Amino acid sequence: MQPSDARILRGAAIPSVLAGAAAIVVGFLVGGAKGALGAAIATLVVIAFFSISVVAVSYASKISAQAMFAAAVFSYIFKIIGMFALISVFEGVTAWNNKVFAWTVIALTLVWIGAEIRHTLTTKTLYIDEPAEPVTTGAGEQAGTDGQARADEHVEAPQAGADRSP
C-alpha cells in the first residue's frame, strides 16, 4: 500500500471508529444491549467494507489506471452484493436491533465518505503523470509515444521580405 493510500485509510477509519463508538452508546440508550450489538456489528461491517475497497484500489493503482478503475468498480459491486447477502441472511435475526444496525450503517457510511473527502481536499497530493522521455533510436530518430520511429523534423520560419516566387 502506498503511503498516501495509508493516510487516506487512517484519515477515514479513525473518524469512523469514533463515530461507531458513539453509535454503540446511542444504540445502547435506544435499544439496550441488542441496540449496542447492532451498532457494533454495523461498525465492523462498514469499516471492513470500506477498508477492503481502499486496499484493493491501492494495490491496483500499482498496476495501471485501468486496473485501478476496475478495482474500484468491482469493490463497489462486491459491497452492494455483500450488503444484500448480509441483509438476506440476517433478515429474521433477533439477536440485535435491526433498525439500529441499519441507521448505524447509513451514518458511518456518510462519516467515512465525508472523512475521505475532507482528507483528500486538505492533503496537497499531486497526481500528475510525467510524460515519458523520447527514446533515441540511434540515427537521429526518436521513438514517439506510439513506438514508431520518426525522423527529426525541422521547420524553418519564413524570413521577412523573402521572395517566394519561382
Side-chain angles (χ1 to χ4, degrees):
M1 177 177 285
Q2 298 177 8
S4 62
D5 295 329
R7 285 190 299 271
I8 289 172
L9 184 60
R10 277 192 310 273
I14 291 171
S16 297
V17 167
L18 295 175
I24 292 170
V25 171
V26 170
F28 182 75
L29 295 174
V30 170
K34 288 184 177 186
L37 182 60
I41 292 171
T43 301
L44 293 176
V45 166
V46 169
I47 291 171
F49 275 31
F50 281 103
S51 296
I52 288 169
S53 294
V54 171
V55 170
V57 170
S58 174
Y59 176 74
S61 70
K62 295 177 185 176
I63 298 169
S64 71
Q66 292 82 7
M68 190 168 87
F69 177 75
V73 169
F74 285 122
S75 68
Y76 177 75
I77 292 170
F78 168 76
K79 285 189 280 192
I80 297 295
I81 293 171
M83 189 53 71
F84 282 137
L86 284 174
I87 290 170
S88 66
V89 168
F90 296 119
E91 184 176 357
V93 172
T94 58
W96 63 78
N97 187 322
N98 289 332
K99 287 187 179 183
V100 172
F101 174 84
W103 283 109
T104 303
V105 166
I106 292 169
L108 292 183
T109 298
L110 294 174
V111 167
W112 184 285
I113 292 171
E116 271 189 341
I117 290 170
R118 181 188 170 280
H119 185 272
T120 302
L121 292 176
T122 58
T123 304
K124 306 283 189 210
T125 305
L126 298 176
Y127 293 100
I128 299 173
D129 290 333
E130 294 292 328
E133 293 184 26
V135 178
T136 305
T137 59
E141 296 179 347
Q142 293 180 341
T145 57
D146 59 355
Q148 298 291 328
R150 296 187 183 101
D152 288 336
E153 295 180 15
H154 297 286
V155 179
E156 296 181 18
Q159 296 177 355
D163 184 17
R164 296 218 160 246
S165 58

